[in-house]
C-alpha cells in the first residue's frame, strides 16, 4: 500500500510538472507572438537550424526572462532597455558572429 501511495504521488508530481512546462511553453509562444511576426520567424528559423551553431542560443530576452511582479518587470525593462529585450544571447564568439549573418540571409530580417 505504501508503494502504491508513493507511485500515485509520483505520478501526480510528474503530471503537475508536465502541465507547468506546457503552460510555460504556451506563455512563451504567446509572448513571442506579441513581439511581432519578425521574432516568430527568427525564433522558428533558429529552432530549425540549431545544428548550424556550436552553443546555446537564447532569446529574444523578453521571452526568456520571467518576472512575476509587474513593478520588478518595469525595473528590468528600465535597466536592460526595451530594445535590448529583443536581443538574442549566445555563449560563444563564433555564434555571436554567425547568428546575425544567418538571420539576415535566411529570414530577410
Amino acid at each position: 500500500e505504501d508503494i502504491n501511495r508513493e507511485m500515485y504521488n509520483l505520478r501526480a508530481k510528474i503530471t503537475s510538472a508536465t502541465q507547468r512546462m506546457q503552460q510555460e511553453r504556451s506563455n512563451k509562444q504567446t509572448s513571442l507572438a506579441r513581439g511581432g511576426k519578425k521574432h516568430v520567424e527568427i525564433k522558428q528559423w533558429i529552432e530549425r537550424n540549431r545544428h548550424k551553431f556550436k552553443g546555446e542560443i537564447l532569446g529574444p530576452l523578453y521571452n526568456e526572462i520571467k518576472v512575476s511582479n509587474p513593478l520588478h518587470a518595469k525595473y528590468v525593462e528600465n535597466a536592460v532597455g526595451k530594445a535590448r529585450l529583443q536581443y538574442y544571447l549566445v555563449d560563444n564568439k563564433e555564434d555571436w558572429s554567425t547568428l546575425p549573418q544567418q538571420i539576415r540571409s535566411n529570414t530577410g530580417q
Side-chain angles (χ1 to χ4, degrees):
E1 188 168 303
D2 286 342
I3 291 175
N4 287 338
R5 189 176 310 124
E6 285 183 40
M7 292 282 288
Y8 176 81
N9 289 338
L10 186 56
R11 281 190 192 112
K13 286 180 182 179
I14 290 170
T15 300
S16 177
T18 301
Q19 290 171 343
R20 281 193 311 273
M21 287 172 46
Q22 289 171 338
Q23 183 61 45
E24 176 113 1
R25 187 178 304 122
S26 175
N27 291 347
K28 282 188 173 190
Q29 289 171 342
T30 301
S31 173
L32 190 61
R34 271 190 251 128
K37 184 180 176 187
K38 172 179 85 169
H39 291 290
V40 173
E41 289 174 359
I42 291 170
K43 187 70 171 180
Q44 288 172 343
W45 184 87
I46 289 170
E47 293 300 322
R48 286 191 312 270
N49 293 279
R50 286 248 180 236
H51 63 279
K52 295 183 178 186
F53 301 98
K54 295 180 186 217
E56 186 72 24
I57 299 173
L58 298 175
L61 288 180
Y62 69 80
N63 206 43
E64 302 292 342
I65 298 171
K66 183 177 177 182
V67 182
S68 57
N69 183 318
L71 180 60
H72 296 164
K74 276 291 181 198
Y75 291 152
V76 170
E77 187 176 302
N78 289 335
V80 175
K82 203 167 193 170
R84 287 190 181 123
L85 288 173
Q86 299 177 26
Y87 288 7
Y88 287 80
L89 296 177
V90 297
D91 62 5
N92 64 74
K93 191 173 183 173
E94 293 85 10
D95 288 347
W96 182 79
S97 298
T98 303
L99 182 62
Q101 295 167 357
Q102 290 287 333
I103 288 173
R104 277 192 297 277
S105 64
N106 292 289
T107 67
Q109 306 296 329

